[in-house]
Amino acid sequence: MANVQKIFSIFVLLIFNPISATISVPVLIWSNHNDAPELPMPTSSQVSTEDFRNIYLKGISQSKHENILIFIQNKLSLEDITHYGDVYSSDTDGGAFHNVQTYLEQPGSVSLPSVENPHKALLDVTSDFKGNVVELKTPEDISGLKLSAKDSNIVRITLPDTGDSVEERLRNNDAFVSSVVDRVQQSGLPYTALYTAKGASRISFDEIYTGRHLLAVDDDINNGTFLNVTCGNGTRIMLYAKAIKISLYKITSANKIETLYNSSMLPQQDVAECAEIINATSGVVGISVNYNIMAEVFKEVTLTFIFNISKNTRTWDMTGLQVNYTLNMNNTQQLVDMKVASIASPFGFSYHCSNGGAYVEKNVTTEVNPDNFVVRLNFKELQVQAYGIKNNKFGRVNDCQGFFTIPILSGLFMTAIMAIILFWGLNMITSLKTMDKFDDPKGKNITVNVSE
């Protein structure tokens, strides 16, 4: 009966919580000659199938007189390399990947920790390849390997799953890789090798999670601001705010401020675009969005969000927020910079804050004049990401609220008090002493002297 319940539970999970078919596996690339095309280091935590094909495979396959060695095993994950490769030891020899580690120490080698379905990209490149394609499936096939120095060749090596344990299978495959590479090197031919797998041996949380990444409620999404903009340099920015409230104040005296306007605003449809402040070399990018305000105060309002993307530290942060507005009362356009709190996250992560915070002008003067206005913005349920967006979804959340919130601290405080009371009670119980002498009816009576 228990087995039937288990099978039914798995069946329900597969139906109502389907796992994404896209599985990511690592790819290791190395070459034995300096004429190989220079391959860039990955700029995000995951490389898509299209980027892997166009950026990495295209340059290798189009090189003249190039020999491409493709080592494919059934399953491989980054955790297998870190665990069985003993990468965290300072004096490691590579563990189960001893030979592969030696090859990766050569100049120009690239390690891609997570590539989306690289096997499909390799099949596409192999089918379009104009040179010779050779298949090796067993170590015995190595003796018959002959490559032409005048032509380009692809050698596709299928690594067998032989061995009683995962580590033994990886060691056997590492030895198979070494034997093929030694055979090619003895012939004096240049080569570029790729080591990957058809699927992942372990599935990460990101790959099986099919829930909603946008921290918002369906009923309110149409009333908020949602931006998904791709700029000319390829940077994609996503921003969501459940509500953005704008307030306009007028300084009437040194100690008095008059509120002229305070209400939420909705963005115009399909008006979000990259701002003119884009600087691809310095990593600065911005997006602008126009807002409709049904009021007699504002004629138009444009918000510009400015981001700085640092590939050195692999982080992005929002460095600026500008408000460009025109008032109906004087028909003058004002551009003000707002004070921005610390909004930053690593690549692949989004920033979220339930209380998005209030932003006021940087340079506020108390001078009393008819044109001295102050703008204030309030965000609710703010979530933004400026790098590493996949499948039009926000990445993992870097929340503004720290772990030790007031409720958590209150709970810890009450738990500490209860623990002290419990410890005091146990100490009192253990300090009780029982009688060690009793009356014997057949013996002499016990006398106790009581002195006043």
Side-chain angles (χ1 to χ4, degrees), residues 370-382:
D371 296 328
N372 191 7
F373 300 98
V374 179
V375 175
R376 175 189 175 101
L377 294 176
N378 289 80
F379 288 83
K380 183 179 179 181
E381 292 290 348
L382 175 65

Side-chain angles (χ1 to χ4, degrees), residues 296-365:
E296 298 180 355
V297 178
F298 288 98
K299 185 176 182 180
E300 60 181 9
V301 176
T302 301
L303 300 185
T304 302
F305 302 88
I306 305 172
F307 301 90
N308 181 49
I309 300 172
S310 175
K311 295 185 178 180
N312 294 329
T313 59
R314 298 184 62 81
T315 57
W316 63 265
D317 60 312
M318 194 172 87
T319 57
L321 174 59
Q322 295 178 344
V323 180
N324 192 345
Y325 66 93
T326 303
L327 299 177
N328 286 321
M329 61 185 69
N330 53 15
N331 202 27
T332 58
Q333 189 176 17
Q334 299 288 337
L335 177 63
V336 295
D337 292 320
M338 313 297 287
K339 294 180 181 179
V340 179
S342 176
I343 297 180
S345 290
F347 284 177
F349 282 73
S350 64
Y351 173 89
H352 172 263
C353 197
S354 298
N355 181 14
Y359 301 89
V360 297
E361 294 185 28
K362 284 185 177 180
N363 303 316
V364 178
T365 62

Side-chain angles (χ1 to χ4, degrees), residues 11-82:
F11 177 74
V12 171
L13 286 174
L14 290 176
I15 292 179
F16 294 101
N17 190 20
I19 295 177
S20 174
T22 302
I23 302 299
S24 301
V25 297
V27 177
L28 308 177
I29 307 174
W30 70 89
S31 180
N32 70 336
H33 60 98
N34 297 326
D35 296 333
E38 184 177 355
L39 302 177
M41 296 299 294
T43 58
S44 61
S45 59
Q46 186 179 37
V47 179
S48 64
T49 305
E50 183 179 357
D51 289 342
F52 179 63
R53 183 191 302 112
N54 297 333
I55 298 176
Y56 295 93
L57 296 181
K58 189 175 181 180
I60 298 174
S61 61
Q62 292 181 352
S63 300
K64 293 183 179 180
H65 310 300
E66 180 66 273
N67 299 283
I68 305 174
L69 309 180
I70 303 176
F71 297 96
I72 297 285
Q73 66 184 49
N74 190 25
K75 292 182 179 181
L76 181 68
S77 294
L78 183 62
E79 290 80 1
D80 297 332
I81 299 176
T82 56

Side-chain angles (χ1 to χ4, degrees), residues 99-337:
N99 296 299
V100 174
Q101 177 185 341
T102 304
Y103 301 139
L104 290 174
E105 292 176 353
Q106 300 176 6
S109 63
V110 176
S111 299
L112 306 177
S114 179
V115 180
E116 183 181 314
N117 202 353
H119 185 242
K120 180 180 182 301
L122 290 170
L123 290 177
D124 295 340
V125 171
T126 303
S127 61
D128 298 336
F129 189 66
K130 297 181 181 179
N132 303 319
V133 179
V134 182
E135 293 276 349
L136 295 182
K137 296 184 178 180
T138 61
E140 291 75 15
D141 298 337
I142 300 176
S143 58
L145 178 61
K146 294 181 181 180
L147 302 177
S148 174
K150 298 180 180 180
D151 301 327
S152 297
N153 305 280
I154 286 183
V155 183
R156 180 182 170 87
I157 305 99
T158 302
L159 301 176
D161 289 335
T162 56
D164 298 331
S165 64
V166 176
E167 183 175 6
E168 185 178 355
R169 288 195 292 269
L170 293 175
R171 288 187 181 275
N172 293 338
N173 290 340
D174 182 69
F176 194 0
V177 171
S178 177
S179 60
V180 175
V181 171
D182 291 343
R183 177 78 176 185
V184 176
Q185 286 181 340
Q186 289 174 3
S187 62
L189 296 176
Y191 75 89
T192 297
L194 297 93
Y195 183 90
T196 186
K198 297 179 181 178
S201 58
R202 307 182 191 185
I203 302 176
S204 65
F205 174 79
D206 285 337
E207 291 164 348
I208 65 174
Y209 179 70
T210 58
R212 184 178 179 185
H213 288 264
L214 180 61
L215 302 182
V217 182
D218 290 334
D219 296 337
D220 297 320
I221 191 169
N222 292 329
N223 296 327
T225 297
F226 179 71
L227 309 178
N228 188 353
V229 181
T230 301
C231 296
N233 60 351
T235 302
R236 176 178 288 185
I237 301 173
M238 287 178 60
L239 184 144
Y240 171 79
K242 184 177 181 180
I244 300 179
K245 182 179 289 186
I246 186 171
S247 303
L248 183 67
Y249 305 95
K250 182 178 181 181
I251 300 177
T252 58
S253 65
N255 299 319
K256 187 177 180 181
I257 298 178
E258 179 185 353
T259 304
L260 299 180
Y261 181 78
N262 185 14
S263 181
S264 300
M265 54 185 185
L266 298 176
Q268 297 179 10
Q269 298 295 326
D270 302 327
V271 294
E273 59 183 3
C274 288
E276 297 179 356
I277 57 172
I278 294 177
N279 189 335
T281 57
S282 62
V284 178
V285 63
I287 55 174
S288 297
V289 57
N290 297 328
Y291 283 86
N292 290 323
I293 300 180
M294 303 300 295
E296 298 180 355
V297 178
F298 288 98
K299 185 176 182 180
E300 60 181 9
V301 176
T302 301
L303 300 185
T304 302
F305 302 88
I306 305 172
F307 301 90
N308 181 49
I309 300 172
S310 175
K311 295 185 178 180
N312 294 329
T313 59
R314 298 184 62 81
T315 57
W316 63 265
D317 60 312
M318 194 172 87
T319 57
L321 174 59
Q322 295 178 344
V323 180
N324 192 345
Y325 66 93
T326 303
L327 299 177
N328 286 321
M329 61 185 69
N330 53 15
N331 202 27
T332 58
Q333 189 176 17
Q334 299 288 337
L335 177 63
V336 295
D337 292 320

